[in-house]
Amino acid sequence: MHSFTYYTPTRIYFGKDTVDNIAEYVGKYLPENVMIVYGGGSIVRSGLLEKIEKLLSDAGIKYTEFGGARPNPTLEHAYEGIKLGIEKGVDFILAVGGGSAIDTAKGICHGIANPDTDIWDYWIGTKQVEKTLPLGCVLTIPAAGSEMSHSSVLTNMAVHSKRGLTTDLNRPLFAVMDPTLTYTLPVYQIGCGVTDIMMHTMDRYFNPLENELTDAIAEALLRTVIKFGTVAIKNSHDYEAMSELMWAGSLSHNNLTGLGGINDFAPHQLGHEITVKYDTAHGASLATIWSSWARYVYDAKPSRFARFARNVWGITETDDNKAAIMGIQATEDYFKSLGMPVCFSDVIGIKDDSVLKEMATGCSRGGTRTIGSFKVLDENDIYEIYKIANR
């Protein structure tokens, strides 16, 4: 094993009906006013929001609602939450939903705790977060893994920029994970979630270093997600499938599957430009770009992709180059089976090459940075990958 630091302080309450104890979990922190941060109307229609509010109210816990988190969470919406939270004297945040609600909540936590700081300064790295509000969450979508991660992604609509913030102060104190809360998810959202879980693992797995136990854990997680992702697409009420996916989503993004490695995350960076420009669902943007990225970089270390093909997909080809290509194709085919796009024409037709160059410039931040670790990519490399994906 190569050296690593591992820190995962989030307490997990996993299983059916765990949300029934939400007042107990929140009450441990003696909050004066809890802000419930959520997204669209699904938790309202399902009755989950009403249930949580009643449980808090019955326990004498005051709360403030803040809904409307978008699938690609925005800085502007977080600003609104910060303003409301300060006005209401909020001292605890409870995110209910998936990664969008949780990432928005993380921004609100930092903003309320630091009212004199523009939180975008944290996301662009000009300031460091030194204090924040306590955050808990009730997960309803197995996908982003934000419930255990130290990261948060927000899009600044004013400047058309999507940035990620990594800090241990992003980590929730606890996460309630009841797989039955996922039963109302539409098929497309399940497909996006399965893709996101796989990508959080693969963006750590495809790196220049090898760590046998870490690699084996990543491969087992991928096999599990592939198996139960297929089941969940057919039946979202399959408890075994949804429970396996929910836990896999957390493990895929709490750094367990990347210990001792050097994270790559180039596909995430490539995908961010797609979501900024076309507001594509995050998981869909990753499926759109992954196989094009993989075909461009695999020759940096074919043996890595060959191991992936054999241990994840059961491919028996002995030639590493051939096995690598077969593994890439198998992954692309699986994304298709989930109803995910695998190239730009599946999302939107891009006929003007200048659009691809514009995205490459945005991804490289005007040529000032490179991305990736498996193969370091500059602005021209990024442009070439977008060209491959434009089919």
Side-chain angles (χ1 to χ4, degrees):
M1 286 294 296
H2 296 276
S3 300
F4 63 84
T5 299
Y6 191 48
Y7 178 62
T8 53
T10 304
R11 187 181 300 275
I12 301 299
Y13 301 103
F14 191 99
K16 187 177 180 181
D17 299 328
T18 45
V19 73
D20 292 351
N21 302 314
I22 190 63
E24 174 190 341
Y25 305 148
V26 172
K28 290 179 180 180
Y29 303 96
L30 305 176
E32 293 292 330
N33 191 350
V34 176
M35 174 180 280
I36 303 174
V37 177
Y38 60 97
S42 61
I43 73 163
V44 176
R45 293 188 299 272
S46 69
L48 177 60
L49 179 62
E50 181 181 6
K51 178 178 182 176
I52 289 173
E53 290 179 342
K54 185 177 188 306
L55 289 168
L56 294 178
S57 182
D58 288 350
I61 299 173
K62 183 180 178 182
Y63 62 84
T64 297
E65 284 187 20
F66 182 65
R70 296 178 48 176
N72 288 305
T74 68
L75 173 70
E76 289 79 3
H77 187 64
Y79 283 155
E80 294 176 18
I82 293 166
K83 180 181 178 182
L84 178 62
I86 292 173
E87 290 174 354
K88 297 291 186 178
V90 167
D91 59 353
F92 190 98
I93 306 292
L94 179 65
V96 183
S100 300
I102 299 171
D103 280 8
T104 299
K106 291 176 179 180
I108 295 171
C109 284
H110 303 332
I112 294 176
N114 302 277
D116 297 325
T117 300
D118 182 344
I119 62 167
W120 188 240
D121 289 339
Y122 299 139
W123 265 258
I124 62 175
T126 56
K127 291 184 179 179
Q128 302 299 312
V129 185
E130 296 182 354
K131 59 181 178 179
T132 191
L133 254 59
L135 169 66
C137 50
V138 176
L139 186 67
T140 64
I141 305 173
S146 190
E147 67 278 358
M148 284 191 78
S149 82
H150 62 355
S151 65
S152 173
V153 177
L154 292 176
T155 299
N156 185 332
M157 300 295 288
V159 298
H160 303 288
S161 178
K162 188 172 185 177
R163 295 291 187 95
L165 167 68
T166 299
T167 169
D168 280 329
L169 291 177
N170 272 333
R171 295 185 186 276
L173 297 172
F174 68 81
V176 175
M177 301 173 65
D178 179 349
T180 65
L181 299 181
T182 69
Y183 285 178
T184 59
L185 291 175
V187 170
Y188 185 74
Q189 199 161 18
I190 294 173
C192 285
V194 170
T195 302
D196 202 8
I197 294 169
M198 291 178 64
M199 290 302 305
H200 281 146
T201 301
M202 293 191 293
D203 274 358
R204 292 177 168 90
Y205 180 85
F206 290 107
N207 78 87
L209 305 179
E210 295 184 8
N211 297 275
E212 181 56 39
L213 180 56
T214 297
D215 293 343
I217 290 171
E219 291 159 359
L221 190 149
L222 288 168
R223 290 194 301 269
T224 300
V225 173
I226 290 165
K227 174 182 177 179
F228 288 107
T230 299
V231 176
I233 286 290
K234 296 176 181 177
N235 179 14
S236 66
H237 286 60
D238 187 301
Y239 184 86
E240 182 183 20
M242 299 312 291
S243 61
E244 294 283 354
L245 292 177
M246 182 170 266
W247 187 226
S250 295
L251 298 185
S252 74
H253 207 30
N254 71 1
N255 288 330
L256 177 67
T257 58
L259 294 180
I262 304 173
N263 291 348
D264 182 90
F265 275 86
H268 263 78
Q269 298 298 324
L270 293 161
H272 283 175
E273 290 304 309
I274 300 172
T275 60
V276 168
K277 191 167 186 63
Y278 299 109
D279 200 27
T280 306
H282 177 60
S285 74
L286 299 175
T288 297
I289 205 67
W290 186 82
S291 59
S292 297
W293 165 84
R295 291 185 174 101
Y296 189 82
V297 306
Y298 87 91
D299 59 357
K301 192 176 182 181
S303 61
R304 188 61 164 174
F305 275 87
R307 172 175 173 148
F308 167 74
R310 293 166 186 143
N311 292 357
V312 173
W313 293 109
I315 290 169
T316 58
E317 172 61 54
T318 57
D319 180 271
D320 279 358
N321 279 284
K322 291 180 180 179
I325 293 297
M326 292 170 70
I328 293 169
Q329 186 62 53
T331 309
E332 182 178 283
D333 290 342
Y334 182 72
F335 288 155
K336 288 180 181 178
S337 77
L338 297 175
M340 291 293 98
V342 296
C343 59
F344 281 129
S345 63
D346 290 342
V347 182
I348 186 170
I350 300 177
K351 298 180 180 179
D352 191 340
D353 191 64
S354 64
V355 173
L356 304 178
K357 290 182 177 178
E358 178 187 337
M359 288 198 295
T361 298
C363 186
S364 66
R365 295 176 191 163
T368 62
R369 72 159 183 166
T370 57
I371 62 172
S373 64
F374 184 83
K375 184 174 184 177
V376 178
L377 307 171
D378 60 19
E379 183 175 3
N380 185 67
D381 293 315
I382 294 168
Y383 168 62
E384 291 298 328
I385 292 170
Y386 284 144
K387 282 204 302 182
I388 296 171
N390 192 30
R391 59 187 197 276

